[in-house]
């Protein structure tokens, strides 16, 4: 039957409903600041938003959006290829290219469509894509559409990538390698220096998804490739405006002039309406702000270290190193759901992550840190997790 | 070129550790429905095959693989 395949999800939803818990689609009834909101009628600290630099509530971005709405209207009502290219879109493309120090950029309506669209278009039938096994759904979705041969390499394992490039023989020269800067669920950083070395040895092209690393890593916030010193080896960088820039939209930048031809071959770019002018204007302002205020990145990392060190000191299972994404590994689905609600009751909103969204078979409570969090807020988040241990929701003996 | 039976024999051997129901393995046995491999176990099993034959098995072919026999044929094709 048509609906049989949805039964496991329906069962999961029924389990949540029985407990009167709604972690997916939890409604923010109010946004009070970049780090505070109201959920289930309760004021909470927002610790699961990807609002890394706090730009979503920056008054300068809000003002830019207001002015653009007055000047351009509320929407473009069309595709970039038809009536949906405004001067704002072109300006943002120029500015994001400048930010990355390259000559070519495409702006998309969402980060998902940017990544999915590029992955679906760059390689095609008869060509090969090698992607990290823990890649985001937008990457998997794109490569499946591409028609190319798809080969996974082990997560963050350049030796496995090298082995698979060697196996390709002459075909390696036209292969597309895909990696992410920071992986969204566990917050681990790709070994791009080593991955770039594999590309130099065997040839091919490298696409890096900087969705969670743009504004977060690198001397000027360009992301993981800049931090690793391998930007010259990266052929295409994709990313999103919905995290460190606090709005919505996505981009691809490249030093290859061919990107201008590729633009007209991407369905996810052609057959959807372009971003509304207010969104583009706030994105431009946020880009200007994060460029002018590198201290935001310093605040972010101070907060990331405070949260990571605090949760680790509690004995919780966290990643190998501090990151703006701090995921706490949980015992099973039931404990994860119970923990999520207990944190909310304690005034902390985080993300609940279960397979297949999580890598492997992990059940996670995923925290993301913002430069806008105060040190006291980070302490409150840590104290809420300590409460989970005291109440027996997390057993340190099992998870430490 | 390794013969089809040799591929089957390797798969039977590699599956032994996963064969918790002690099924008699034949080419008609389904990897998921009969043996009960999880998606993670499938990927681990695939990696074992890849390293043994020094090949990469594209994800594209996996939807067409149901039984041990299906997989043996695909691996044989890739290793030609």
């Amino acid at each position: 039957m048509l609906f049989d395949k949805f039964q496991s999800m329906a069962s999961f939803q029924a389990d949540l409903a029985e407990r009167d818990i709604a972690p997916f689609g939890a409604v923010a009834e109010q946004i009070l600041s970049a780090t505070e909101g109201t959920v289930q009628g309760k004021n909470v600290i927002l610790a699961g938003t990807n609002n890394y630099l706090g730009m979503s509530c920056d008054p300068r971005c809000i003002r830019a959006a207001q002015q653009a709405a007055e000047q351009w209207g509320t929407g473009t009502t069309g595709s970039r290829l038809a009536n949906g290219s405004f001067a704002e879109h072109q300006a943002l493309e120029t500015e994001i290219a400048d930010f990355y120090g390259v000559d070519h950029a495409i702006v998309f309506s969402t980060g998902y469509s940017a990544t999915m669209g590029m992955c679906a278009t760059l390689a095609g039938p008869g060509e090969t894509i090698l992607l990290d096994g823990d890649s985001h759904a937008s990457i998997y979705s794109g490569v499946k559409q591409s028609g190319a041969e798809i080969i996974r390499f082990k997560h963050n394992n350049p030796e496995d990538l090298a082995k698979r490039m060697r196996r390709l023989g002459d075909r390696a020269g036209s292969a597309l390698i895909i990696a992410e800067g920071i992986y969204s669920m566990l917050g681990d950083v790709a070994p791009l220096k080593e991955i770039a070395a594999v590309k130099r040895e065997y040839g091919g092209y490298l696409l890096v998804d900087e969705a969670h690393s743009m504004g977060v890593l690198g001397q000027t916030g360009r992301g993981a490739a800049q931090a690793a010193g391998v930007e010259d080896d990266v052929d295409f960088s994709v990313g999103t405006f919905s995290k460190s820039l606090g709005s919505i939209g996505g981009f691809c930048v490249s030093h290859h002039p061919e990107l201008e031809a590729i633009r007209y071959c991407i369905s996810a770019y052609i057959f959807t309406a372009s971003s509304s002018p207010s969104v583009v204007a706030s994105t431009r302002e946020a880009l200007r702000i994060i460029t002018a205020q590198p201290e935001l990145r310093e605040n972010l990392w101070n907060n990331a270290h405070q949260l990571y060190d605090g949760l680790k000191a509690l004995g919780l299972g966290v990643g190998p190193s501090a990151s703006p994404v701090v995921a706490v590994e949980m015992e099973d689905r039931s404990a994860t759901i119970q923990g999520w609600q207990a944190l909310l009751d304690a005034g902390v909103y985080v993300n609940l992550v279960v397979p297949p969204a999580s890598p492997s078979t992990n059940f996670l409570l995923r925290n993301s840190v913002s430069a806008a969090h105060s040190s006291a807020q980070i302490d409150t988040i840590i104290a809420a997790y300590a409460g989970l241990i005291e109440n027996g929701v997390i057993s340190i003996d099992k998870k430490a | 070129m390794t013969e089809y039976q040799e591929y089957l024999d390797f798969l039977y051997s590699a599956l032994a550790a996963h064969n918790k129901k002690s099924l008699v393995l034949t080419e008609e046995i389904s990897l998921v429905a009969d043996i009960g491999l999880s998606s993670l176990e499938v990927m681990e099993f695939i990696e074992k095959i890849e390293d043994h034959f020094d090949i990469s098995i594209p994800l594209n072919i996996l939807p067409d693989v149901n039984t041990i026999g299906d997989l043996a044929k695909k691996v044989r094709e890739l290793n030609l």
Side-chain angles (χ1 to χ4, degrees):
Chain A
M1 295 293 289
L2 187 67
F3 299 141
D4 286 352
K5 56 186 172 293
F6 304 112
Q7 277 310 305
S8 62
M9 178 54 70
S11 162
F12 186 26
Q13 286 179 311
D15 184 16
L16 294 172
E18 197 171 305
R19 299 163 184 239
D20 197 23
I21 296 174
F24 304 119
V27 176
E29 291 134 16
Q30 290 184 90
I31 291 294
L32 305 171
S33 71
T35 60
E36 294 170 300
T38 307
V39 178
Q40 295 180 4
K42 185 180 180 66
N43 286 359
V44 296
I45 295 169
L46 300 172
T49 62
N50 307 314
N51 197 0
Y52 297 124
L53 300 180
M55 286 294 102
S56 71
C57 291
D58 189 287
R60 293 163 290 185
C61 296
I62 295 169
R63 195 160 50 247
Q66 289 170 332
Q67 289 172 349
E70 287 170 6
Q71 183 178 354
W72 297 97
T74 54
T76 67
T77 71
S79 157
R80 290 289 305 276
L81 260 67
N83 57 297
S85 272
F86 291 9
E88 286 279 329
H89 299 94
Q90 284 192 314
L92 178 55
E93 285 181 339
T94 300
E95 288 160 7
I96 193 73
D98 288 347
F99 179 78
Y100 274 92
V102 295
D103 290 331
H104 308 282
I106 304 173
V107 164
F108 294 79
S109 299
T110 68
Y112 188 99
S113 60
T115 307
M116 185 268 287
M118 291 306 298
C119 292
T121 309
L122 282 171
E127 293 163 331
T128 303
I129 295 173
L130 297 102
L131 77 165
D132 185 287
D134 282 3
S135 290
H136 188 260
S138 56
I139 294 173
Y140 274 104
S141 177
V143 300
K144 278 179 189 168
Q145 292 176 46
S146 71
E149 179 182 70
I150 306 161
I151 293 172
R152 279 173 27 139
F153 61 91
K154 288 180 188 169
H155 175 55
N156 274 355
N157 189 326
E159 292 80 20
D160 193 54
L161 170 65
K163 183 169 66 182
R164 293 172 188 281
M165 288 291 276
R166 173 183 56 75
R167 288 171 180 166
L168 284 178
D170 292 343
R171 293 189 294 146
S174 61
L176 175 66
I177 302 165
I178 301 176
E180 298 181 32
I182 290 179
Y183 284 84
S184 60
M185 290 297 115
L186 298 178
D188 45 342
V189 179
L192 288 181
K193 190 174 177 184
E194 292 78 8
I195 287 174
V198 173
K199 181 205 150 182
R200 280 198 296 276
E201 181 176 356
Y202 291 97
Y205 298 82
L206 176 59
L207 180 148
V208 178
D209 181 355
E210 302 273 17
H212 288 267
S213 39
M214 180 213 189
V216 169
L217 290 174
Q219 191 179 3
T220 63
R222 288 176 184 167
Q226 185 182 39
V230 295
E231 287 184 288
D232 289 345
D233 295 296
V234 176
D235 295 279
F236 302 94
S237 300
V238 295
T240 181
F241 301 139
S242 61
K243 296 180 171 62
S244 60
L245 298 183
S247 61
I248 189 168
F251 66 88
C252 176
V253 296
S254 177
H255 57 81
H256 291 292
E258 289 83 356
L259 188 67
E260 299 305 331
I262 294 169
R263 173 196 299 265
Y264 298 107
C265 303
I266 306 169
S267 292
Y269 173 83
I270 300 168
F271 298 106
T272 190
S274 58
S275 295
S276 60
S278 56
V279 165
V280 176
S282 70
T283 305
R284 294 180 62 197
E285 183 63 16
L287 189 60
R288 189 192 65 73
I289 292 168
I290 72 163
T291 303
Q293 294 183 234
E295 65 273 19
L296 289 168
R297 207 156 41 253
E298 191 178 332
N299 294 346
L300 170 68
W301 279 99
N302 287 339
N303 287 339
H305 281 288
Q306 186 184 344
L307 181 62
Y308 177 82
D309 293 345
L311 296 182
K312 193 173 183 184
L314 291 175
L316 295 169
V318 291
S321 59
S323 164
V325 175
V326 185
V328 174
E329 192 177 340
M330 299 294 286
E331 188 68 26
D332 55 29
R333 187 169 89 177
S334 180
T336 315
I337 294 168
Q338 193 183 350
W340 181 86
Q341 185 63 51
L343 288 174
L344 196 68
D345 293 340
V348 177
Y349 169 81
V350 303
N351 304 126
L352 182 150
V353 183
V354 296
S358 59
S360 185
T361 54
N362 302 98
F363 292 89
L364 306 171
L365 290 174
R366 175 188 180 274
N367 311 273
S368 56
V369 180
S370 174
H373 279 126
S374 67
S375 180
Q377 286 177 317
I378 301 290
D379 281 340
T380 301
I381 299 167
I382 296 167
Y385 274 96
L388 294 188
I389 298 168
E390 285 162 18
N391 296 333
V393 177
I394 298 178
S395 167
I396 290 303
D397 288 338
K398 289 179 182 173
K399 295 314 302 172
Chain B
M1 182 187 76
T2 313
E3 293 304 318
Y4 174 64
Q5 186 60 45
E6 290 179 48
Y7 288 96
L8 274 179
D9 289 342
F10 174 76
L11 296 186
Y12 294 152
S13 151
L15 278 167
H18 301 283
N19 187 12
K20 296 181 184 111
K21 299 176 192 168
S22 300
L23 299 172
V24 176
L25 298 180
T26 65
E27 56 190 315
E28 287 82 24
I29 290 283
S30 164
L31 295 164
V32 175
D34 295 328
I35 299 177
L37 293 184
S38 68
S39 55
L40 188 63
E41 286 174 318
V42 168
M43 297 321 297
E44 288 171 355
F45 178 52
I46 292 289
E47 282 173 15
K48 204 182 288 183
I49 300 166
E50 290 177 322
D51 285 342
H52 180 81
F53 292 107
D54 198 24
I55 57 173
S56 290
I57 299 177
L59 295 184
N60 317 53
I61 71 161
L62 296 184
D64 296 329
V65 171
N66 181 28
T67 65
I68 297 174
D70 293 338
L71 186 55
K73 285 172 196 156
K74 291 289 183 187
V75 174
R76 181 172 176 268
E77 285 170 19
L78 288 167
N79 206 26
L80 284 177

